[in-house]
């Protein structure tokens, strides 16, 4: 347990320490970071701008809001622009760890957290200015909330149901309807395969 916990801490520390160690890497990072900087500069938090006076409606504004907020607190730069992705990935580990703990205890929770934190795509997304970290948090919350609401103890059903819908809201604010597709497609397939229509209908709302 100590070795796994230390491994997770080291991975997180390396990711956090390197957020500002290199410039914005591609057009995606540059675009979203500049949109956030313009949001902060102009004070227009309702309509993200690709260029001054040119609205950017390609993605919902959640990730831009977060980057603009950290820039307001820490100053404009790579570290501030990327910090929300790190914090979102950190938050994403909470339902992963709690779900694993509920199914297999503390050891399984640590293994799940270690595997999640060290996965290449997660490590990269946790240090990049893009919408994927927020989308991942939303879908992970929805999946975890769904499973606990349908298969977990009754005392956790209300909280799990709230988590499902709150995660769906985060996903929609992060990347639009694709969040609903990524949530309901696997959930619907599992319900059909397991024939758990009644539990899903009565325990989730």
């Amino acid at each position: 347990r100590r070795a796994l916990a230390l491994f997770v801490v080291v991975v997180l520390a390396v990711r956090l320490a390197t957020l500002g160690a290199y410039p914005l890497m591609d057009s995606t990072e540059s675009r979203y970071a500049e949109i956030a900087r313009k949001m902060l500069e102009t004070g227009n938090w309702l309509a993200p701008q690709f260029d001054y006076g040119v609205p950017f409606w390609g993605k919902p504004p959640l990730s831009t809001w977060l980057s603009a907020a950290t820039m307001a607190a820490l100053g404009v730069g790579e570290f501030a622009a990327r910090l929300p992705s790190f914090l979102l990935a950190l938050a994403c580990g909470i339902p992963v760890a709690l779900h694993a703990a509920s199914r297999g205890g503390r050891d399984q929770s640590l293994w799940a957290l270690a595997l999640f934190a060290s996965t290449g795509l997660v490590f990269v997304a946790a240090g990049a200015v893009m919408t994927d970290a927020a989308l991942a948090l939303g879908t992970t919350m929805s999946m975890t909330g769904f499973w606990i609401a349908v298969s977990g103890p009754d005392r956790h059903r209300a909280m799990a149901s709230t988590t499902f819908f709150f995660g769906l809201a985060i996903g929609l604010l992060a990347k639009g309807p694709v969040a609903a597709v990524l949530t309901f497609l696997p959930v619907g397939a599992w319900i059909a395969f397991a024939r758990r229509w009644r539990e899903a209908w009565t325990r989730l709302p």
Side-chain angles (χ1 to χ4, degrees), residues 12-202:
L12 295 177
V14 170
R15 181 68 282 179
L16 180 62
T18 56
L19 290 180
Y22 49 94
L24 300 176
M25 296 298 292
D26 58 18
S27 59
T28 298
E29 275 204 301
S30 301
R31 179 171 61 253
Y32 287 120
E34 179 62 10
I35 290 171
R37 190 197 66 79
K38 283 188 174 72
M39 179 177 284
L40 178 62
E41 178 187 353
T42 62
N44 185 352
W45 293 74
L46 295 179
Q49 300 176 66
F50 184 79
D51 201 354
Y52 293 106
V54 181
F56 175 77
W57 304 122
K59 293 290 189 300
L62 178 59
S63 299
T64 306
W65 285 340
L66 296 175
S67 290
T70 52
M71 287 182 183
L74 303 175
V76 176
E78 288 87 352
F79 181 86
R82 290 174 175 140
L83 182 60
S85 292
F86 174 81
L87 297 177
L88 289 165
L90 199 65
C92 196
I94 296 173
V96 170
L98 291 177
H99 189 197
S102 69
R103 293 178 59 80
R106 185 178 299 178
D107 289 340
Q108 185 165 314
S109 177
L110 279 173
W111 275 108
L113 199 57
L115 290 169
F116 174 77
S118 60
T119 300
L121 188 57
V122 172
F123 189 85
V124 171
V129 189
M130 53 186 183
T131 60
D132 295 68
L135 175 65
L137 175 61
T139 54
T140 301
M141 289 178 64
S142 292
M143 296 290 186
T144 303
F146 170 80
W147 178 261
I148 295 175
V150 172
S151 299
D154 288 339
R155 66 181 183 276
H156 294 155
R157 183 170 66 87
M159 180 61 71
S161 179
T162 301
T163 300
F164 173 83
F165 289 106
F166 190 67
L168 191 61
I170 290 176
L172 291 171
L173 277 173
K175 216 160 185 175
V178 68
V181 175
L182 292 175
T183 299
F184 286 111
L185 193 62
V187 163
W190 181 84
I191 291 173
F193 180 78
R195 298 181 180 180
R196 302 285 292 274
W197 300 98
R198 177 172 295 182
E199 291 93 334
W201 181 257
T202 58

